[in-house]
Amino acid sequence: GTTSTFYDTAHDHEALVTRPRDVTDNAMPSGTSLAVDLMLRIAELTGDAELRRGASIVMETLAEPMVRYGPAFGHLLGAADMAVHGAVEVALVGRPGEPGFDALARTVATHYIPSLVLAGGEPSSSQGLALLEGREMRNRRATAYVCRQFTCDSPVTSSEALRDQLERAITPERR
């Protein structure tokens, strides 16, 4: 089943008077916000609706405190933004280590995209990652797909075109 609560100790940890659970983000994000963020990112990569639903359930239990004490939930609010607006999904198809692929990967790395979900690899190696399925190289060159909810812009093979798509993907009017 889906849980609405995460704890800071394993379920089989020695018996404690109170099982520790801190949901607020401090200098380090809380275990809860990290778990929710991870669940959302895996859901984006795989298309797993149940995982997305589980993350939403946890966030719903913390909705009131997030509204009242926003600064205490910095990382979780970022995850909530991704849940509401969707991630910027980038699929890089090609051979890692080759110049064209690495140039596209560097282009993605130079952009601050808080809701980035990135997958990359050879065209035949989707390995259950819905974001890579059906993505092909164009003209035998490494190719990038910038998507939201698996709907993608035109595939591009140049860093300049990828940069333009990434900048459009993170502007508020795109949302």
Side-chain angles (χ1 to χ4, degrees):
T2 303
T3 184
S4 63
T5 307
F6 292 105
Y7 293 92
D8 295 333
T9 59
H11 70 283
D12 58 353
H13 189 271
E14 67 181 275
L16 302 170
V17 173
T18 302
R19 193 170 173 197
R21 175 179 183 247
D22 184 5
V23 297
T24 60
D25 297 318
N26 295 296
M28 298 288 289
S30 72
T32 295
S33 67
L34 289 172
V36 167
D37 186 47
L38 182 61
M39 291 168 72
L40 289 170
R41 290 177 188 279
I42 292 172
E44 290 286 335
L45 285 169
T46 62
D48 186 331
E50 184 64 23
L51 207 51
R52 177 182 303 285
R53 190 175 78 74
S56 294
I57 288 170
V58 174
M59 287 186 290
E60 286 169 12
T61 67
L62 296 169
E64 183 186 344
M66 283 193 292
V67 169
R68 293 185 69 192
Y69 309 106
F73 294 93
H75 194 83
L76 189 59
L77 285 168
D81 179 71
M82 183 170 39
V84 169
H85 296 291
V88 174
E89 304 156 342
V90 178
L92 298 179
V93 183
R95 292 172 188 79
E98 289 190 355
F101 185 93
D102 290 350
L104 294 174
R106 273 192 306 280
T107 299
V108 175
T110 60
H111 285 76
Y112 175 64
I113 306 170
S115 60
L116 175 68
V117 173
L118 175 67
E122 299 201 26
S124 61
S125 67
S126 65
Q127 298 174 359
L129 297 180
L131 186 53
L132 287 177
E133 287 178 8
R135 311 281 187 240
E136 297 293 331
M137 293 173 59
R138 299 289 189 225
N139 300 320
R140 289 190 253 171
R141 296 179 62 194
T143 304
Y145 296 79
V146 177
C147 316
R148 277 205 185 260
Q149 298 174 340
F150 299 99
T151 300
C152 303
D153 291 339
S154 298
V156 295
T157 58
S158 75
S159 293
E160 295 78 21
L162 176 57
R163 183 194 66 234
D164 291 346
Q165 285 187 357
L166 291 172
E167 288 173 2
R168 281 194 311 273
I170 59 176
T171 57
E173 57 269 9
R174 168 121 186 200
R175 293 183 175 183

